Amino acid sequence: MLVRKRWVVSAVVLALLASPVAFARRPPGARSGHPAPAAKTPIDEFERMSPEQQQRALNLLPPGQRQKLQQRLQRFNQLPSEQQQTLRNLYNRLHELPPGRQESVRSAINRFSEQTPDRQQLIRDELRSMAPLPERDREARMATQEFRKSFSRKEQGIIKDMMPVLPSH
Amino acid sequence: MRCPLEFDKSAELIVGYGARTLAPEAAAEFELHLHSCEACRKMAAAQKAVWAALDAAERRELPVSPDFDRKLFQRIQAKQNRDWWLWRALVPATACLALATLFLLKQPDSMSMPKVQQPQPAVQIDQVEHALDDMDLLNQLGAAI
């Protein structure tokens, strides 16, 4: 009886581990708290495919959409390698988050893009200064008068919502 | 002679006399009896009349259509032709049906043959699209982070 129970528990655990839902939309390396440096995005996985496999995957799209995707891939590959790596890291951190928080980050970036260029630059500078700080210090910084005076409530919300994609320490 | 009407085999005797199948002695003896027996005479006369009528009918020729034989052979030939065409159509049709059945019975086997699985791409193309969407979005932050 005990042996049978063990088998059932093992089977359930294995089924959960094998379930595609368990790790849906999570990039490799996202299972642990910190993404591995070599974590790959779907773009990297696509690039690693053979030309035949790439063509077969692209053929699933209508011609117009296919061409647009190829152009976007080309643009991404033409970015400096350092910028590509930064985007990969951001992407992987974003995809470590639960879907609801991912959407909050996306929404914050959209609100960020609606700001004037000089305000955008101020927000970038603030995020850059917060990036190396531990989470507790970031919270403390956002609670300061200086921070509250420097940014409107909307901008404060943008910065707060973007926090999850900052590197964790 | 005792009157035949008085015993059970009278009918056989009278019919045999009319048909001339009696033995000569029996026939002669019955004829002697007829002289003295009116009832037997009447019976014998009736029998003779029946036989005379049958003889007359036998002699008379029944009218037969002159092309009776031709029509008969035509009908026989037509039936044979009909049967021949029936078989001629039926045999190939049956053969076709048998072949079709055989083909259909064989078909599931070929259908159930393991198809050569195309290797699945490592990543779905829509995942690549979504990743590019996110990359474009994140790229708006510039080198902020």
Side-chain angles (χ1 to χ4, degrees), chain A residues 87-128:
Chain A
L87 288 172
R88 282 190 188 97
N89 292 339
L90 282 170
Y91 176 90
N92 286 332
R93 284 201 292 271
L94 176 68
H95 280 261
E96 282 178 51
L97 301 173
R101 295 195 73 188
Q102 287 183 30
E103 282 310 306
S104 295
V105 174
R106 289 187 184 102
S107 167
I109 297 172
N110 285 327
R111 294 200 309 274
F112 166 82
S113 65
E114 290 165 2
Q115 305 301 308
T116 58
D118 58 321
R119 297 310 297 176
Q120 284 186 13
Q121 192 54 51
L122 277 175
I123 294 170
R124 276 195 199 97
D125 292 343
E126 183 64 34
L127 289 169
R128 194 180 294 119

Side-chain angles (χ1 to χ4, degrees), chain A residues 44-63:
Chain A
D44 299 314
E45 290 184 29
F46 181 80
E47 297 292 342
R48 279 192 305 182
M49 282 159 54
S50 69
E52 292 79 19
Q53 283 179 318
Q54 287 184 354
Q55 197 56 50
R56 202 159 42 242
L58 286 168
N59 285 344
L60 297 171
L61 297 173

Side-chain angles (χ1 to χ4, degrees), chain A residues 5-20 22-23:
Chain A
K5 268 187 181 174
R6 276 184 191 166
W7 273 108
V8 170
V9 170
S10 304
V12 170
V13 169
L14 280 173
L16 284 172
L17 286 174
S19 167
F23 302 113

